[in-house]
Amino acid sequence: MDRWQETIAENLASSSVPGFKKQDFSFSAVQAGLHPVPASAGASRAVLMSGGQASTNFQPGEFRMTGVKTDLAVDGKGFFEVQLPNGATAYTRDGEFHVDSQGQIVTKEGYRVLGDSGPIALDLNNYTEPSVSTSGEISQGVDIKGRIRLTEFGNPQLLNRMGGGYFTAENPNANAAPSTASTVRQGALELANTSVVMEMANLMTAMRTFEANQRMAQIHDDRIAKAINDLGNIS
C-alpha cells in the first residue's frame, strides 16, 4: 500500500512537468470475498491486495502551444537525448529547453541537448531566432546548427526512471534506435499524461483499500485469539 501511495504522490507532484510519463500500479494477486466488512468501508466484501508493481505508462500527452522558439515537443515515440553532468546519456520527452550563457541548448536542469554531432550550440552574436524543422534540424537564418537527435526503444518498459521525467537505457534489451517516424514541433510542449482528478480518485481508492485490509487483519486476529481462548478452556 505504501508503494501504491508513493506512486500516486509522484504522479501528482509531476503533473505539471512537460512530457512526464505517469506510473500505473497493478497487483499481481487479488483475493476477494474472504470476510465481510462494515458498510463504512465502501464495499460489501473485503479485498486483499498483494504483490503490487508500478509500470510506466508511455502514452503521449496532449500538446500545448507556447510560441517559445526553444520549446520543442516530440510527435511520435521518440525521446530527446541529453547529456548528464557525468557524461552519460539520458532520455526525456520534456522539451522545455533554453539557451545558456555559452549558447548551448540545455534543459531546465542545465543538461546539454544532443544532436547528431553532439551538443547543439547557437551563435550568441546572431540575433536571429532559431528555427526548428519537423525533422529536428536547427538553423539560425541560413546557418545550420545541427539536428536534434531523437531515439526510440523497442521495449521502453526496460528503461530506468531517474525522476523528473528522465530515463536511462542501461539495459541493452531496451533496443535503442534512431526514431525515423517521430517529428519535432517547435513552440509547443507535450503535457504530462497524468490526470490530477484521476490520481486523487486513485488516492481515495488506496486509502479505502488500506482501511478494508486493516479491518480484515483485525478480524483475523480476533478469530485467532478466540480460537486460542476456546482451545485453552478445556472445561
Side-chain angles (χ1 to χ4, degrees), residues 36-47 204-205 207-213 215:
V37 294
S40 60
S44 59
R45 308 294 284 180
V47 177
M204 293 297 296
T205 301
M207 293 174 62
R208 288 171 179 169
T209 303
F210 175 78
E211 291 170 357
N213 286 349
R215 290 188 180 94

Side-chain angles (χ1 to χ4, degrees), residues 172-188:
N173 293 326
N175 297 325
S179 183
T180 56
S182 299
T183 58
V184 177
R185 294 191 183 190
Q186 185 178 21

Side-chain angles (χ1 to χ4, degrees), residues 86-145:
N86 62 3
T89 300
Y91 305 89
T92 184
R93 297 275 295 192
D94 183 355
E96 193 173 10
F97 303 140
H98 67 274
V99 180
D100 67 9
S101 59
Q102 298 178 336
Q104 294 183 325
I105 299 177
V106 297
T107 68
K108 296 187 293 289
E109 294 80 7
Y111 305 154
R112 295 188 293 183
V113 179
L114 297 177
D116 290 342
S117 302
I120 301 174
L122 301 180
D123 184 359
L124 294 179
N125 295 319
N126 184 343
Y127 297 102
T128 304
E129 290 187 326
S131 176
V132 183
S133 69
T134 56
S135 66
E137 186 176 78
I138 300 179
S139 59
Q140 276 186 295
V142 296
D143 297 330
I144 305 299
K145 296 301 181 181

